[in-house]
Amino acid sequence: MRNFAVFFLVAFVLRAPWLGDPLFHADEQFYLLMGDRLWHGVIPYVDLWDRKPLGLFLIYGAARAFPGNGVLAYQLMAITSAAATAVVLARCARHLAGPRGALFAGLAYLIYLMAFNCGMGQAPVFYDLPMIAAAWLVIGALADTAAPTIAGQRFGLMARGCMAMALIGIALQIKTSVVIEGIGFGLMLLWAGWRRGWGWPRLAGAGAAWIALALLPTALVFAAYAAEGEARAFLIANVVSILGRGQDLGEASFRLAKVAAALIPFYVALAMGWRIALPRSESEIVRRAVLMWLGLAVVGFLAPGTWYDHYVAPALMPLAILAAPALDGRCRPTGWLRRVLFVVGLGAGLGATTVQAHRFGDTTDLDEAAAAIRPHIDANHCLYVYEGDSALYSATNSCLPTRFAFPAHLSTRFEEHALGIDPTAEVERIMASRPGAVVIDAAPNPYGANMQTRAVVLQALAQHYQRIRTITLGTRSFALFAAR
């Protein structure tokens, strides 16, 4: 509990200036909108569309169950999840380092989350917790092959594997990309069974059981959709859309370069830690397993091809564990390394978060925009945010004119082949329904714009709408149009 208190306090203090900010991140705005609409009977993928698994929306739905500010609720839930992840991470790091190194490893994870745009409620902040818990079980099983423990005798390999794969299953319902790490963890468990002398029939049986447990939550969700005749909607959102998403290779490569540069202190820590004597007989097996986990996490980061900064968050866990021996060192070089790692992390984390919040705006910006929109909408004439922030729907309590309420899905070219529908036809339908107010980027050619759908909106605006004013959200400007 002491470590949790330390980690929670650090995470809370670092994030305190931005607590309650409803515009902090575009993704989080939409997740909260989805969580809120769940309480009104909305069915994800059918009535309101996104490609994230159901579990993430249930987390945000839980945040809306608390009285008061749903934004503050999900952010405090995220801080709690990050602190709990750091606690389990530190326990994993104890296989490679002393208490001080393990503590520093947990702190490094918390600080660098902010550097990679995971300061509040991005999906990795929530799925990292079941993943690190699964990793702790797998690492413990591997360590027991070299040095059996009382815990290993109390919880056999089969039981540990079942718990680990059940946790992987939970994580899969928050983010599907963890399947890569999950496969790796399963293979490590099978290797541990082989080391213990399990025969092929026992290995096959255990493997089948572990796979079934990992897939069970997703299978149950799919079965529920299939029972309602919505299997296609589930598959398009959870499978087809991931494969059909486009990208800007130049911009993605720039993001990749920034991520690689920000992780330089960890590269140095890994190289330095590799030269430090490990404290236990099982430590070498654990270190190799964590290194394999790091490789799997890197593959998970690279696989989508978009290379957004928050996608690297799962790799921070094995990186921090592997850095623990160097962070535990007492010589002058390791002392300098600690200073550099934390100074760089704090600078990048606080800097990135400050820039993010400045760009997107705050509660005052959102309230002013919502006040300008409300007179022009009612139960039959919704707000349509073609370009802008989905938080505007929440702030105005507007009805939704489309199930594709995350603006980028219909307004950017990267999504045009990933939605399972014709985006141009959908935008034509929306504008034909005569929304009471429309929000569109004030710039004539925003980055990544789908020019076909934008042309439909601009034509309808010219014929049936008048420009009321410009609304400002942070450093961004949007034109507000109302029906004539």
Side-chain angles (χ1 to χ4, degrees):
M1 284 301 294
R2 185 179 66 179
N3 274 0
F4 177 79
V6 170
F7 291 139
F8 184 90
L9 181 62
V10 169
F12 182 87
V13 169
L14 289 176
R15 293 155 174 78
W18 302 283
L19 286 175
D21 183 353
L23 295 175
F24 186 79
H25 197 287
D27 290 349
E28 296 168 26
Q29 296 173 31
F30 180 77
Y31 301 154
L32 191 62
L33 173 66
M34 179 73 87
D36 178 66
R37 298 300 166 110
L38 289 179
W39 292 97
H40 296 86
V42 160
I43 301 174
Y45 318 131
V46 178
D47 303 318
L48 189 52
W49 194 92
D50 195 55
R51 61 172 55 87
K52 297 296 189 300
L54 179 64
L56 181 61
F57 305 137
L58 294 179
I59 290 170
Y60 274 81
R64 292 299 294 153
F66 289 100
N69 191 333
V71 174
L72 187 59
Y74 91 73
Q75 291 173 344
L76 290 174
M77 288 169 61
I79 290 173
T80 302
S81 180
T85 300
V87 169
V88 185
L89 188 154
R91 295 197 65 175
C92 292
R94 287 288 283 117
H95 287 282
L96 303 182
R100 187 174 72 152
L103 179 67
F104 283 141
L107 291 172
Y109 167 78
L110 287 177
I111 290 169
Y112 275 83
L113 275 180
M114 297 180 67
F116 295 106
N117 228 333
C118 290
M120 290 298 182
Q122 270 288 11
V125 177
F126 294 109
Y127 68 74
D128 275 2
L129 180 54
M131 289 304 294
I132 193 65
W136 176 65
L137 290 164
V138 172
I139 288 169
L142 295 172
D144 273 349
T145 64
T149 63
I150 295 175
Q153 296 170 5
R154 186 179 303 163
F155 301 103
L157 176 59
M158 188 65 196
R160 278 180 168 175
C162 287
M163 289 187 287
M165 289 299 108
L167 288 163
I168 295 294
I170 293 171
L172 274 169
Q173 272 303 297
I174 304 174
K175 182 73 171 180
T176 52
S177 62
V178 303
V179 67
I180 297 171
E181 294 159 82
I183 291 170
F185 285 176
L187 293 174
M188 292 179 197
L189 288 166
L190 289 173
W191 181 85
W194 176 77
R195 279 288 298 263
R196 293 185 181 203
W198 287 10
W200 289 111
R202 189 174 182 183
L203 287 170
W210 292 336
I211 291 171
L213 280 169
L215 296 179
L216 180 61
T218 300
L220 290 174
V221 173
F222 175 72
Y225 275 87
E228 295 296 321
E230 298 293 351
R232 183 175 182 273
F234 176 90
L235 291 173
I236 288 175
N238 286 269
V239 181
V240 177
S241 72
I242 296 172
L243 302 176
R245 189 179 188 182
Q247 61 176 302
D248 181 336
L249 186 58
E251 182 66 22
S253 298
F254 177 65
R255 290 193 292 264
L256 179 61
K258 287 196 300 181
V259 167
L263 291 173
I264 287 175
F266 280 104
Y267 310 151
V268 177
L270 265 61
M272 193 176 292
W274 213 263
R275 298 172 175 269
I276 295 174
L278 297 173
R280 298 180 178 84
S281 58
E282 78 275 11
S283 294
E284 187 57 41
I285 289 177
V286 170
R287 182 160 65 179
R288 291 179 181 179
V290 177
L291 188 62
M292 290 176 61
W293 175 21
L294 174 59
L296 294 165
V298 170
V299 171
F301 165 66
L302 294 174
T306 48
W307 307 325
Y308 289 110
D309 48 7
H310 58 278
Y311 287 7
V312 83
L316 291 177
M317 295 184 289
L319 276 172
I321 294 170
L322 290 169
L327 296 175
D328 197 32
R330 298 182 183 275
C331 61
R332 181 172 295 180
T334 56
W336 277 107
L337 172 65
R338 277 194 299 274
R339 294 184 186 95
V340 170
L341 189 142
F342 285 114
V343 167
V344 170
L346 285 169
L350 294 174
T353 307
T354 300
V355 170
Q356 170 85 2
H358 178 66
R359 177 173 178 264
F360 275 85
D362 55 21
T363 304
T364 301
D365 294 338
L366 182 61
D367 288 345
E368 290 179 359
I373 292 168
R374 285 193 195 99
H376 307 288
I377 61 174
D378 55 38
N380 298 314
H381 299 88
C382 305
L383 166 68
Y384 178 40
V385 183
Y386 174 73
E387 289 161 334
D389 290 339
S390 53
L392 291 168
Y393 291 120
S394 300
T396 58
N397 283 320
S398 172
C399 52
L400 301 179
T402 174
R403 66 190 181 107
F404 299 96
F406 186 70
H409 287 155
L410 294 176
S411 65
T412 66
R413 66 177 186 270
F414 308 119
E415 300 284 357
E416 58 185 335
H417 301 300
L419 305 178
I421 55 115
D422 178 358
T424 302
E426 176 65 8
V427 172
E428 288 173 345
R429 184 199 66 77
I430 295 167
M431 298 310 295
S433 72
R434 296 292 184 266
V438 178
V439 175
I440 187 170
D441 200 310
N445 187 21
Y447 169 73
N450 182 326
M451 299 311 293
Q452 289 181 302
T453 59
R454 202 164 206 271
V456 171
V457 173
L458 291 174
Q459 182 179 15
L461 293 177
Q463 294 175 348
H464 306 292
Y465 290 80
Q466 58 182 340
R467 182 166 180 167
I468 302 300
R469 57 169 288 180
T470 297
I471 59 176
T472 302
L473 300 174
T475 61
R476 303 163 301 146
S477 297
F478 300 94
L480 172 61
F481 286 81
R484 290 174 183 160

